[in-house]
Each structure stands twice: as C-alpha cells, then as structure tokens.
Amino acid sequence: MADTIESFAGQDILSVDQFNRAALNAVFGVAHEMRVLVERFGGAELLQGKILANLFYEPSTRTSSSFTAAMQRLGGQVIAINNVQYSSVSKGESLPDTVRTLECYADVIVIRHPEVGAAATAAYYADKPVINAGDGIGEHPTQALLDLFTVQEELQQIDGLTVVMVGDLRYGRTVHSLTKLLLNYEVSFVFVSPEILRLPADLIEAVEASGHSCRQVQDLNSVIGEADVLYMTRVQRERFTDLAEYDRVKDFFVVDKELMARARRKMIVMHPLPRVGEISYAMDDDPRAAYFRQMRNGMYIRMALLAALLGKA
Ligand code: ASP
Ligand code: CP
C-alpha cells in the first residue's frame, strides 16, 4: 500500500482499499497546497509536457471537467474522449485495445465505464497509471477522496462524527467508496434508504465486522438531528431494469428548509451531484450546504493525485 505521497508515483487508483490514514493525510496535505496554489497563482507548471487521456463511457460533468481543469492548471494537456460513440469503440474496439492506444499518446488514463471492474481491466492492460472515475455500481474512489477531504476541511475532524448517508445506497458507487474509506476513522454510520435501495450486504458486513456503530433506517426525519454529515445521493435511474420501481423510490427523500430546521447548527450537507430533486434549491444559501464547496475540492484532490501519480508531488 502506498502511504507516502512519493510512493504513489506510477500507481493506478482503482479502489479506496489502496488508502490508509497515512496515505489519506498525505493526499489531503498536497490537495490543501494545491488549493493555495490555485488561489494565489491560478496553478503551476508542475505537469508541463504531460498528457492525460479522459476516457468516459458514461456521462459526466464534474469528474471529467475537474480532471481536465486539474491537468491544465498544472501545465499539462488533455485528450478528451467524453463521447465514446464518436471513437473507434463504436466500431467494436475492445477496452484493452482502446487503453493500449491511448497510452501511446498519454501519460495517465482516467476511465469511467458502466461495468464493475472495467478500470481494473484497463489497468491490467495499460503500463501507464489508470484512475477509476467510476466503474458501474462498483467504486468512485476519487469522489470518496474529495468527499472525505471536504469533511476534514469543513469540520476540521473526521473521528467522532456521525455520518448519515441517504438515498440510493444500493447502486450509488460514491456511497460504496466513501463507506469503505470512513472505516479508517472512528465514525458512526446511519444508512437511510427505502428497503430496495439498502447498502449491499457485503458492505454492511464490513462495517459491522470493523466494530463501527451502524444503523439502517427508512425515515430521515427521525435521524436528521444526529447528523454531523448528511450525505445525500441521487437514485441511480440508469441502473434500474424496471423503471416503475425507480418511479416508486425516486422521490423518497427531499432535504428542504423544514427538514433542516431539525438538523444541528454545526453540520454539513453533502451530495456528489448531480441532484435531481433530493435537495431543494432553497437550501443552497444555507451555510451548512457544502455541496458546491465539495465540488470545488474535487479539482484540488485531482491535482494532488495527478501530481503524485506522475511523480511530481
Ligand atoms: N456523479 C456521481 C457518480 O457518477 C453520482 C451520481 O451520478 O449520482 O457516481
Ligand atoms: N460527482 C460526479 O461524479 O459527477 P459527474 O457524474 O458529473 O462526473
């Protein structure tokens, strides 16, 4: 396991399982420096001459554009394949051949794909570092890193917090990665979802086996007052085979002013975004609404990771 920033050079980032507390502290330290760098100078020339290939088989706004911005703010350049239907993928080219092509031109490959394990497959065939930007319902490790960095920056602590995760805990890959990452800390978990969207059993078992306090409930009202971190998620429509089932659960939870009147004064509301109704727009002015700041943190985390993987952190 890489646990100093130097030891990340040349590595892939496929799962949060690769990170322990030492590694997290190292990445967060560099991300913090990247924030200062961007705020003072807009960026640096650390990755001049380096090229990132952004390979997206699924839609993205934040992950794709924040990796692009991260690379460009560090002086590097980007090959964007955000629309695989216009690439040779639509002629039937395989994932292994696609990544072997891109690594002829780029120094690092970022991939998002609908299948669990696709990033690991890409990494198997590529010699250059591969970063998992979401593999189906599997993981979204860089999102979990930016989520945890946000908690640390906003609340100045992670140990001792109660984290309430809400919504699509079954298909939400950001929840899967963040839950695993939080096992490195002394937190209590409350998982709030409709019955059919509960956290997968293997993850519940991992949480319980690690000795963390954990409850699964269906009613957000009854637990909102406990939350230090309220982590909202979108119901992942694209993962449902039966859209009638999606319709039944899509509007289960809405964070609005009425609900937030029962929340602590010092707490944060997070969301990986995009939101499709789970958080009312009226909430955006509430100082506890951290989701826009969270999104900005994504660029700093990705700047830190790119610098680390390319041996320049
Ligand atoms: N953007 C996140 C993801 O790709 C969350 C979401 O789409 O709901 O996993
Ligand atoms: N949070 C996130 O992954 O957003 P995108 O799907 O827009 O990349």
Side-chain angles (χ1 to χ4, degrees):
M1 183 173 296
D3 57 8
T4 61
I5 207 73
E6 292 76 19
S7 56
F8 277 98
Q11 304 266 329
D12 304 306
I13 296 182
L14 303 177
S15 162
V16 291
D17 294 341
Q18 294 168 249
F19 294 84
N20 58 21
R21 275 178 89 131
L24 292 165
N25 286 338
V27 172
F28 293 169
V30 178
H32 195 86
E33 284 170 28
M34 292 299 180
R35 177 202 295 280
V36 174
L37 199 72
V38 170
E39 286 172 357
R40 290 209 187 133
F41 310 110
E45 295 301 307
L46 218 55
L47 299 184
Q48 197 175 25
K50 301 288 185 191
I51 295 181
L52 173 152
N54 237 355
L55 178 60
F56 279 69
Y57 290 76
E58 278 191 342
S60 169
T61 300
R62 275 147 293 273
T63 311
S64 157
S65 55
S66 64
F67 266 114
T68 299
M71 196 63 187
Q72 291 180 341
R73 284 190 185 273
L74 289 175
Q77 297 190 56
V78 180
I79 299 170
I81 306 193
N82 289 342
N83 248 330
V84 286
Q85 68 265 38
Y86 296 118
S87 73
S88 286
V89 169
S90 65
K91 301 181 205 168
E93 188 156 53
S94 67
L95 179 61
D97 280 359
T98 301
V99 297
R100 280 186 292 217
T101 305
L102 289 173
E103 72 172 348
C104 295
Y105 315 129
D107 302 286
V108 53
I109 298 172
V110 173
I111 178 169
R112 171 172 288 185
H113 195 283
E115 280 164 33
V116 175
T121 303
Y124 178 81
Y125 287 98
D127 291 328
K128 305 271 175 72
V130 169
I131 302 177
N132 181 4
D135 60 332
I137 63 166
E139 280 216 36
H140 193 347
T142 67
Q143 177 73 41
L145 292 171
L146 77 89
D147 291 343
L148 203 56
F149 179 61
T150 301
V151 175
Q152 175 69 55
E153 294 277 294
E154 295 274 328
L155 299 175
Q156 280 77 51
Q157 67 178 97
I158 301 171
D159 286 320
L161 299 180
T162 296
V163 180
V164 178
M165 300 209 195
V166 183
D168 190 344
L169 311 184
R170 178 180 182 185
Y171 298 123
R173 56 194 172 198
T174 74
V175 170
H176 302 165
S177 287
L178 183 57
T179 300
K180 289 205 276 177
L181 210 49
L182 281 167
L183 294 181
N184 288 289
Y185 298 84
E186 304 292 318
V187 297
S188 301
F189 293 94
V190 183
F191 297 111
V192 187
S193 72
E195 188 64 33
I196 61 161
L197 297 181
R198 281 160 76 126
L199 198 69
D202 60 329
L203 271 175
I204 286 291
E205 275 159 31
V207 173
E208 286 173 349
S210 66
H212 287 76
S213 149
C214 147
R215 272 147 60 215
Q216 299 185 80
V217 301
Q218 293 195 38
D219 178 27
L220 178 54
N221 280 294
S222 61
V223 295
I224 183 70
E226 299 173 37
D228 298 301
V229 175
L230 177 65
Y231 191 89
M232 294 300 298
T233 62
R234 169 182 73 93
V235 179
Q236 309 276 297
R237 185 178 192 274
E238 65 274 35
R239 311 291 179 211
F240 282 74
T241 41
D242 176 1
L243 282 181
E245 193 165 71
Y246 166 76
D247 282 332
R248 276 197 293 281
V249 290
K250 71 179 174 28
D251 298 321
F252 235 73
F253 304 109
V254 179
V255 174
D256 55 17
K257 290 203 159 170
E258 199 188 327
L259 179 86
M260 288 302 291
R262 286 195 288 282
R264 292 182 177 167
R265 274 208 291 166
K266 187 179 173 215
M267 57 84 73
I268 51 171
V269 181
M270 298 177 65
H271 193 309
L273 301 174
R275 63 175 155 181
V276 288
E278 314 78 46
I279 301 181
S280 113
Y281 288 104
M283 269 299 299
D284 295 354
D285 296 334
D286 188 312
R288 296 170 294 184
Y291 31 92
F292 296 128
R293 300 189 290 275
Q294 177 186 356
M295 194 155 59
R296 187 166 309 124
N297 286 337
M299 185 174 76
Y300 306 133
I301 283 287
R302 289 170 177 135
M303 288 172 79
L305 292 174
L306 290 173
L309 297 193
L310 296 172
K312 300 284 183 184

